[in-house]
Amino acid sequence: MKLWQIDTGECLQTFQAHPSLVLAIAFSPDGQVLATGGGDGTINLWDVSEFLHSPTSHSHHPPPLLATLLGHQKWIRFLVYSPTGDILASCSQDGSIKLWDGHLHKRSGETQQCLKTLRVPRPYEGTNITGMNGLTQAEKETLRMLGAIDESSN
């Protein structure tokens, strides 16, 4: 991750936000927290308030990690805070949207839990294709991606 001072074009900070790719970022409405979503399926919340108060006196240390939110199974593709900062929404390649308490970073010691998971059922969700004849391997794989269950492949 790189944090930049827009007015001057100066790079304020470079740090490793995730062990894999960073695919999504969102600043809290007050600008004090940066949420990052990675290819590792986690969301990290970083305290970037020091840059808000004195953007020119940055250190060479990464911003403090406030919390890591767990729950997605695949890449985090999008992050957004509600306008009031009460909710952080994350969208993952696992097909789910998760809603998180946007104020978790202000309550230290609490477990970071998802408030709600939203998921649109896939077209063949729960359809059992175990033992079906006449399907190619590619067709079976497509049906599994669309939610079908194939117990013979487990």
Side-chain angles (χ1 to χ4, degrees):
M1 286 289 304
K2 289 187 179 281
L3 296 177
W4 297 86
Q5 177 63 38
I6 294 175
D7 298 339
T8 65
E10 176 188 9
C11 180
L12 300 175
Q13 183 68 256
T14 300
F15 63 98
Q16 182 78 32
H18 291 267
S20 62
L21 300 171
V22 175
L23 299 166
I25 62 168
F27 280 97
S28 61
D30 62 9
Q32 294 190 29
V33 176
L34 173 64
T36 62
D40 58 355
T42 65
I43 300 162
N44 287 331
L45 303 179
W46 304 91
D47 180 356
V48 292
S49 60
E50 70 178 79
F51 299 107
L52 190 68
H53 299 300
S54 57
T56 57
S57 66
H58 54 278
S59 72
H60 295 288
H61 300 290
L65 178 62
L66 298 168
T68 298
L69 308 180
L70 305 172
H72 285 294
Q73 304 305 308
K74 294 188 179 178
W75 296 4
I76 308 298
R77 301 299 287 189
F78 301 99
L79 292 169
V80 66
Y81 277 93
S82 64
T84 59
D86 294 339
I87 302 290
L88 172 65
S90 59
C91 178
S92 170
Q93 196 166 338
D94 65 13
S96 69
I97 296 171
K98 292 188 179 287
L99 304 178
W100 309 87
D101 183 341
H103 298 296
L104 284 172
H105 61 277
K106 296 181 181 174
R107 295 195 298 257
S108 61
E110 289 191 19
T111 304
Q112 285 73 35
Q113 293 186 15
C114 175
L115 299 174
K116 186 167 186 95
T117 299
L118 307 172
R119 193 168 193 286
V120 175
R122 295 174 289 174
Y124 293 93
E125 193 82 47
T127 303
N128 190 344
I129 61 171
T130 303
M132 287 188 85
N133 296 321
L135 295 175
T136 67
Q137 192 59 36
E139 290 169 330
K140 283 186 177 184
E141 188 58 37
T142 299
L143 286 169
R144 278 195 291 273
M145 286 178 22
L146 294 172
I149 300 165
D150 185 4
E151 293 170 357
S152 62
S153 68
N154 292 338

